Every structure is written in structure tokens, then in C-alpha cells.
Amino acid sequence: ISQNPAPTVSISASSDVICAGSSVNLTATGAGGTPSYTYQWKRGSTVVGNAAALNNQTQAGTYTVTVTDSKGC
């Protein structure tokens, strides 16, 4: 049995600060593990996207992304 390494993720934003009425684009990049990757973005407990890029977000809150590799890790 071999252990598959867990994927890692780096996240970038189009801006560090957004003002009322503005939007931000968030991008996740998976690495490690076994490509290809799937992504799930959440704002709080609400799923808001299932792609590497999450564009035009205007709502304040905490955004998290879960990255899963092709082996389910």
C-alpha cells in the first residue's frame, strides 16, 4: 500500500481590500497529490462555487476552498 500525498492549495485575490459596491475575484491553485483537482468554495457554510476561480464576489464574509485530487485526497 502506498500513501498518496495530500494536495496543497494557494489562493490569490484580485484585491486585498474591497469597498462597498465592488467585487473581488478569488483563484485557487492546487498542487501536490495526484492531478487533476476539484474545487469547492464556500462563504460560511454556503457553497458558492465549484471551479478554481470564484469571480465577482460582492458579499462580505469568510471564504474557504476545499481542493480534492483525483484520488479523493
Side-chain angles (χ1 to χ4, degrees):
I1 296 177
S2 62
Q3 182 176 359
N4 191 51
T8 60
V9 63
S10 59
I11 300 169
S12 62
S14 59
S15 177
D16 291 335
V17 176
I18 63 169
C19 298
S22 297
S23 65
V24 65
N25 299 325
L26 304 171
T27 304
T29 304
T34 305
S36 64
Y37 307 101
T38 60
Y39 302 86
Q40 183 180 70
W41 287 94
K42 290 184 177 182
R43 184 181 59 254
S45 61
T46 303
V47 175
V48 293
N50 288 303
L54 186 63
N55 295 318
N56 300 317
Q57 294 304 298
T58 58
Q59 293 187 3
T62 300
Y63 289 80
T64 58
V65 64
T66 301
V67 177
T68 306
D69 72 3
S70 64
K71 302 257 187 206
C73 295

